Amino acid sequence: MATYVPLITHDLARAARALAQVSLLDLAEHTDLDAEHLRGVERGLRSLTPAQEERLHLAFEEFGVEVLPADEVAGTGHGVRRKFNPRTVKRLENWENEGGPAADDDI
């Protein structure tokens, strides 16, 4: 069963990258996409294949940004938001920096 990946427009790609506070080069490296291609996508000059769009969507999720689908019932369009609020991000960073041996989570 295929998972639904919301459409990532040039505006959403630019906004998601701004929310993630990640450079174009870091995003390109993380998604295995060309930085110039991503720049073209953000400017609305290029498009993404479904596979590229899914890689970009997953990268944004890993950087802490959710790409939201349109909700016709609520009358809202596509959008982006932070996955965690700033307080939660700070707590996660503290937990990650505690040190000690890394272990698999049971979650």
Side-chain angles (χ1 to χ4, degrees):
M1 180 177 186
T3 59
Y4 172 72
V5 178
L7 177 66
I8 297 179
T9 64
H10 67 280
D11 293 334
L12 290 179
R14 195 170 48 246
R17 190 166 66 83
L19 275 177
Q21 297 180 356
V22 65
S23 73
L24 194 60
L25 294 175
D26 287 339
L27 183 61
E29 182 179 310
H30 199 77
T31 59
D32 292 328
L33 296 173
D34 182 56
E36 287 303 314
H37 185 83
L38 287 174
R39 186 183 319 274
V41 168
E42 287 186 357
R43 292 180 178 172
L45 304 173
R46 294 195 172 177
S47 60
L48 297 168
T49 66
Q52 291 172 330
E53 188 172 325
E54 186 171 350
R55 287 197 318 237
L56 189 60
H57 181 258
L58 292 173
F60 286 140
E61 286 281 327
E62 289 179 20
F63 284 124
V65 175
E66 287 182 296
V67 179
L68 305 170
D71 186 351
E72 292 180 19
V73 175
T76 59
H78 293 278
V80 294
R81 70 175 177 196
R82 288 185 190 204
K83 198 170 178 181
F84 304 110
N85 64 32
R87 182 175 176 220
T88 303
V89 170
K90 187 70 174 166
R91 287 177 40 211
L92 289 172
E93 287 173 353
N94 286 338
W95 289 334
E96 289 176 354
N97 294 328
E98 284 180 351
D104 292 335
D105 291 334
D106 291 335
I107 299 175

